[in-house]
């Protein structure tokens, strides 16, 4: 019988986004034998996770979204993080024409000095976030990705706590994978 004909060559498919990312990662940021590398938020977040045990779920996304909405509300209360508004100019009444008879077209010197100093120190307070039972740090990373439109000068202090040192090490690697945002 004639030898079997060789099968036609198949075009090689492009590498998957995950494999393309893996090829560029330094060895210390690649998943270990008991870990996976997952692409989250339409590939905007890389997440190293334990193969078994706690992993990113819908609850992780909900927690991050809730925390981001609370942080935004706190910043709004400070006068930051507000939607841009059209500036409006309200003309002052002519001197002496206000109902109380006072001249409202000047600002007393003491008020202008305090206004200038408050404007100079017009920076949001640090945003302090503590994640208890942080695991791989996924909720904090999702929080940072979800919290958009922060004023650029807003410092963010994250404190991740967990009783499992290996998970905190994994969280550290996840932050190195995803920073800068």
């Amino acid at each position: 019988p004639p030898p079997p004909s060789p099968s036609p060559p198949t075009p090689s498919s492009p590498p998957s986004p995950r494999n393309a990312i893996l090829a560029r990662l330094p060895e210390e940021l690649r998943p270990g034998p008991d870990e996976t590398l997952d692409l989250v938020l339409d590939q905007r977040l890389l997440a190293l996770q334990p193969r078994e045990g706690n992993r990113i779920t819908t609850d992780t996304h909900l927690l991050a979204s809730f925390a981001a909405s609370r942080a935004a509300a706190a910043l709004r209360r400070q006068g930051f993080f507000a939607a841009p508004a059209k500036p409006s100019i309200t003309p002052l009444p002519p001197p002496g024409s206000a109902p109380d008879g006072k001249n409202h077209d000047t600002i007393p010197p003491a008020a202008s000095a305090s206004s200038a100093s408050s404007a100079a120190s017009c920076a949001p307070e640090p945003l302090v976030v503590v994640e208890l039972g942080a695991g791989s740090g996924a909720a904090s990373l999702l929080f940072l990705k979800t919290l958009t439109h922060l004023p650029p000068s807003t410092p963010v202090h994250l404190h991740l706590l967990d009783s499992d040192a290996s998970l905190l090490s994994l969280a550290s690697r996840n932050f190195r994978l995803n920073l800068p945002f």
Side-chain angles (χ1 to χ4, degrees):
S5 61
S7 58
T10 58
S12 62
S13 60
S16 70
R18 182 185 172 283
N19 289 341
I21 291 168
L22 276 172
R24 294 190 316 258
L25 288 179
E27 189 62 39
E28 68 272 8
L29 295 180
R30 292 184 183 175
D34 296 330
E35 300 169 343
T36 62
L37 176 67
D38 300 302
L39 307 177
V40 184
L41 291 177
D42 293 328
Q43 303 177 14
R44 291 182 297 139
L45 180 75
L46 301 175
L48 288 168
Q49 303 185 78
R51 196 172 294 279
E52 301 288 326
N54 293 332
R55 297 176 54 80
I56 295 176
T57 64
T58 304
D59 288 348
T60 314
H61 289 269
L62 291 172
L63 174 63
S65 181
F66 175 75
S69 70
R70 299 294 295 178
L75 287 169
R76 271 194 290 281
R77 283 192 301 274
Q78 292 181 31
F80 297 94
F81 204 77
K86 275 186 153 179
S88 63
I89 300 173
T90 306
L92 295 170
S97 65
D100 59 6
K102 294 183 180 175
N103 186 349
H104 292 277
D105 63 347
T106 61
I107 299 173
S112 67
S114 66
S115 299
S117 66
S118 67
S121 64
C122 189
E125 293 192 18
L127 184 60
V128 179
V129 179
V130 178
E131 185 181 358
L132 303 174
S136 65
S140 288
L141 284 167
L142 287 168
F143 167 81
L144 290 174
K145 290 287 188 179
T146 305
L147 186 64
T148 56
H149 304 97
L150 264 181
S153 61
T154 305
V156 178
H157 301 280
L158 287 171
H159 302 277
L160 280 66
L161 305 171
D162 202 292
S163 60
D164 187 337
S166 66
L167 286 177
L168 286 176
S169 173
L170 187 61
S172 173
R173 290 170 54 217
N174 273 326
F175 274 87
R176 290 191 354 243
L177 270 174
N178 289 283
L179 291 176
F181 286 100

